Amino acid sequence: MQSLPGFRDFLPEDCARRNYIFARWREVARRYGFVEWEGPPLEGTELYKKKSGAEIVEQLFNFTDKGEREVALRPELTPTLARVVAAHEREFKKPLKWFSIGQFFRYEKQQRGRLREHFQLNCDIIGENDLAADVELVALCIDILRAFGFAEKDFVVRISDREFWTDFFRDKKVPAERWDDLLQAIDKSPREPREKTAEKLGDLADPVFAALKSGRKSAKLEQLVEGLRARGLADFVAVDVGIVRGLAYYTGIVFEVFDPAEKFRAVAGGGRYDNLISQLSDGSLSLPALGFAMGDVVLGELINGTSRTREAMQKAIANDSKIDIYIVIAKEQRRADALAQIQQLRDRGYRVDYPLTPTKVARQFQSAEDLGARVALLYGDEWPQVKIKNMGTAQQELVAGDKLLNRLVELL
Ligand code: HAM
């Protein structure tokens, strides 16, 4: 029996790496005043059909449930967020700053950096029109990557503005019904042969290619970069109007994060979607919104591929996996006394391990070392005294059983 293509098994080391990523995500999102929330993993298929755009709908893991409902495993969080906010917005002061960490499913062609399940951090700000929110969001995205040890040379946030293109289309008198298809064609253009893009763009091919080449930007984009410059973060970003994002709901500033050589797919992406909540609530509620998601797959590859970030991760994981105390049971008669103590130590929050069955003393000390214990406690002939061995210095001392807890507080 094998796992399905594109699905991962998480062995303990993989879980440790995943938890390391989650911990940094959570830590920095909280530093920015974001609060955590979560949605359901299964939603009505309609939600995505209406809101995400054609590409994601093709990739849905969907089925009819036993109640004859059309349902889909979530491919992304944004439509759920819009649905939840539309239902609960009165309960919260604006702007909302919400983050969420969860698993998502897309029936994609498997390729480097793209699987059929992945984890995302989503960070969204709801109820703020001002560009200050866009600056804050991009800064958060940069700081999350910095928290893993990445520097300016390790990644670039490519920033663009969909309004640059909608203004461009308006200027060229392109009917609004064509805009979505044109934006999709521009989004795919870096990954497709020029002729194919030209065919999709039709009469607009030449002016679009010229605009892409010109490096022009809007005043809004310049302001955004200035906002980041004031925080010392401008060197992490590059304006690139070729970024338009595949999802249908974006309305303004959009961005994607790549490794500088663009060896990998995007590590994160997001932007403004000011109309989505209004569309989902059939116009009864209108709230501006913006957000991004960062995936664990490309991020994991980038961390592994950069020695600084890989070492930081390995160090953090090694520290986190260590136990505090290993109990060596040298005489089986002392097992009951040792277990009573183990219970007390664990109640106090120490990480404690011991051999479940009789084991040679040398092997027990080996386990103490393998598990990274800071001290080993030896229960043997010395009882009612216990021998404490400092595993770092190999120093040993004898302590009376009833004084042990106090001595451990001093040592650990
Ligand atoms: P997205 O660009 O579709 O945006 O996905 C965000 C990130 O999730 C990607 O940059 C990538 O790292 C990761 N990702 C997506 N699909 C896969 C996959 N098949 N395998 C591995 N990783 C993947 C969104 O999902 C938007 N909802 C983000 C957003 C939040 N916009 C506003 N708020």
Side-chain angles (χ1 to χ4, degrees), residues 81-310:
L81 174 63
R83 177 180 66 66
V84 170
V85 167
H88 296 278
E89 113 359 267
R90 283 159 181 266
E91 298 156 40
F92 303 98
K93 281 202 188 115
K94 308 306 168 301
L96 309 182
K97 298 200 292 180
W98 284 10
F99 81 94
S100 189
I101 296 174
Q103 200 170 20
F104 296 85
F105 306 87
R106 297 182 190 182
Y107 199 89
E108 284 202 56
K109 202 161 86 216
Q110 218 182 313
Q111 52 185 303
R112 187 156 193 205
R114 287 288 180 274
L115 302 174
R116 290 187 174 164
E117 54 73 26
H118 69 283
F119 288 86
Q120 280 186 359
L121 163 73
N122 275 259
C123 296
D124 293 88
I125 302 176
I126 316 280
E128 184 52 72
N129 263 317
D130 200 284
L131 191 70
D134 303 68
V135 179
E136 179 80 351
L137 195 74
V138 176
L140 167 59
C141 185
I142 294 169
D143 276 344
I144 289 170
L145 290 167
R146 287 181 59 233
F148 290 97
F150 291 114
E152 283 98 329
K153 62 179 185 319
D154 301 319
F155 69 93
V156 56
V157 184
R158 299 199 174 282
I159 310 182
S160 171
D161 184 0
R162 271 207 180 184
E163 279 181 13
F164 172 91
W165 289 111
T166 48
D167 287 349
F168 178 92
F169 298 150
R170 216 174 276 124
D171 191 49
K172 302 255 173 307
K173 312 247 174 332
V174 181
E177 309 84 72
R178 269 189 76 194
W179 293 5
D180 258 357
D181 289 343
L182 293 170
L183 287 170
Q184 295 291 333
I186 297 169
D187 176 60
K188 288 224 170 68
S189 66
R191 300 187 294 277
E192 270 179 357
R194 192 181 164 99
E195 305 79 63
K196 192 160 180 198
T197 308
E199 196 184 309
K200 290 184 193 168
L201 294 171
D203 52 332
L204 285 170
D206 287 342
V208 167
F209 285 133
L212 283 170
K213 223 175 139 197
S214 71
R216 265 185 20 227
K217 47 180 117 161
S218 61
K220 205 203 304 172
L221 283 167
E222 272 169 27
Q223 237 179 307
L224 179 66
V225 175
E226 280 319 301
L228 290 164
R229 194 177 311 285
R231 300 173 185 221
L233 298 177
D235 291 345
F236 289 95
V237 301
V239 171
D240 175 358
V241 293
I243 300 287
V244 290
R245 308 271 299 133
L247 294 157
Y249 44 68
Y250 292 110
T251 54
I253 296 286
V254 284
F255 60 94
E256 282 187 341
V257 185
F258 292 95
D259 59 299
E262 296 207 17
K263 266 200 308 188
F264 300 97
R265 299 286 301 271
V267 62
R272 262 204 184 265
Y273 48 100
D274 283 344
N275 301 333
L276 186 60
I277 294 172
S278 162
Q279 286 168 7
L280 261 177
S281 62
D282 290 324
S284 67
L285 172 72
S286 177
L287 275 175
L290 62 158
F292 73 87
M294 185 180 291
D296 69 322
V297 180
V298 177
L299 178 61
E301 294 195 15
L302 285 181
I303 293 173
N304 268 329
T306 312
S307 52
R308 190 172 355 98
T309 52
R310 185 178 58 243

Side-chain angles (χ1 to χ4, degrees), residues 1 6 102 171 194 290 296 299 307 313 323 364 391 406 408:
M1 291 291 282
D171 191 49
R194 192 181 164 99
L290 62 158
D296 69 322
L299 178 61
S307 52
M313 176 177 72
I323 62 165
Q364 296 189 52
M391 296 296 291
N406 287 342
L408 285 173

